[in-house]
Amino acid sequence: MPYEPPTHTVERSLRATTGARIVAGVDEVGRGAWAGPVTVCAAVTGLRRPPEGLTDSKLITPRRRTALAAELERWVTAYALGDASPQEIDQLGMTAALRLAAVRALEGLPVRPDAVILDGKHDYLGGPWKVRTVIKGDQSCIAVAAASVIAKVRRDAVMAELGAGTEEYAAYAFGANAGYPSPVHKAALEELGPTAQHRLSWSYLDAMPRWSHLKKVRLSVEAAALESGGQLGFDF
């Protein structure tokens, strides 16, 4: 199915209404995974024409996505990545962990953006950043789409390297599922239990009596409620 290519419409609007000169697109990957970090990319693209085929990373084949990410890393004006670890997710909850990763990405840019386009409808970033949220921004906004592709490829590579690095993680097939709950991943969890890469505050442990005693309780019940809808999503 063909998709409308992303544009600079939102960026132009932000420039016109706020006076922003540098606008960063921000997107995350790994929110719904059971293992591994959540990764956020911040990308600054200016108003140049993007590489052919740019869209939401989930709509691109893995092979094309990898090639496009390498092209985008050369094409963007600047980009930076930020992670929040499984332990930080357990301690803070996903909303605060997303903010932590996003701030790390934004502060990693060589220049501070005047405004941020954030994928989705919820502003998990907040002040002091000037934020414009855009539903499906990873399809409609060039800077957000670029951030989406770079973040997805980088996090997938980290998870693949982790899965291939030691025997401890081999059974979980992180290279194939990137930490999401695939059948192989679930079977390994049932048999072997969670590792240091797993999010131990998440509700999947409730369905595993053998390992449920390892579940961690978050400090904030409200934070847990905010993200509960994303725990069972698949995004390979």
Side-chain angles (χ1 to χ4, degrees):
M1 178 186 297
Y3 296 92
E4 288 293 321
T7 69
H8 289 300
T9 300
V10 177
E11 185 171 344
R12 292 183 190 278
S13 171
L14 275 170
R15 287 172 175 242
T17 57
T18 70
R21 296 178 59 195
I22 300 171
V23 179
V26 170
D27 198 15
E28 54 77 22
V29 65
R31 185 197 299 245
W34 287 4
V38 64
T39 299
V40 173
C41 180
V44 178
T45 66
L47 298 176
R48 295 172 296 137
R49 183 188 297 274
E52 192 69 27
L54 177 63
T55 187
D56 172 11
S57 65
K58 296 185 290 297
L59 303 178
I60 307 172
T61 64
R63 184 183 215 173
R64 173 58 185 147
R65 191 165 57 217
T66 298
L68 182 58
E71 191 175 353
L72 286 167
E73 289 176 11
R74 298 188 297 268
W75 173 79
V76 297
T77 303
Y79 78 93
L81 292 132
D83 292 321
S85 69
Q87 291 74 31
E88 289 170 328
I89 293 169
D90 286 336
Q91 182 180 8
L92 302 172
M94 182 55 77
T95 302
L98 279 170
R99 173 176 167 76
L100 179 64
V103 168
R104 285 169 174 167
L106 288 163
E107 291 184 343
L109 292 169
V111 62
R112 183 184 176 90
D114 302 310
V116 173
I117 304 171
L118 189 64
D119 181 52
K121 65 180 180 179
H122 298 298
D123 178 8
Y124 58 76
L125 184 56
W129 309 92
K130 293 179 182 177
V131 176
R132 175 80 60 87
T133 58
V134 179
I135 296 173
K136 293 190 176 179
D138 47 11
Q139 291 184 39
S140 60
C141 303
I142 286 173
V144 179
S148 166
V149 172
I150 294 171
K152 173 69 173 164
V153 170
R154 286 297 191 93
R155 185 182 181 277
D156 282 358
V158 166
M159 294 304 293
E161 184 176 350
L162 184 68
T166 66
E167 264 187 51
E168 178 186 2
Y169 299 130
Y172 300 88
F174 290 150
N177 59 51
Y180 287 85
S182 70
V184 171
H185 186 178
K186 288 181 177 180
L189 268 170
E190 291 275 10
E191 177 65 24
L192 303 172
T195 70
Q197 298 301 323
H198 283 88
R199 302 169 187 182
L200 299 181
S201 58
W202 284 37
S203 60
Y204 68 83
L205 281 174
D206 295 334
M208 298 181 181
R210 185 177 175 187
W211 309 108
S212 60
H213 65 285
L214 298 175
K215 187 177 179 183
K216 293 183 180 294
V217 178
R218 292 194 188 97
L219 296 179
S220 168
V221 174
E222 293 80 4
L226 280 173
E227 82 231 29
S228 62
Q231 292 187 17
L232 301 179
F234 288 79
D235 183 16
F236 294 1

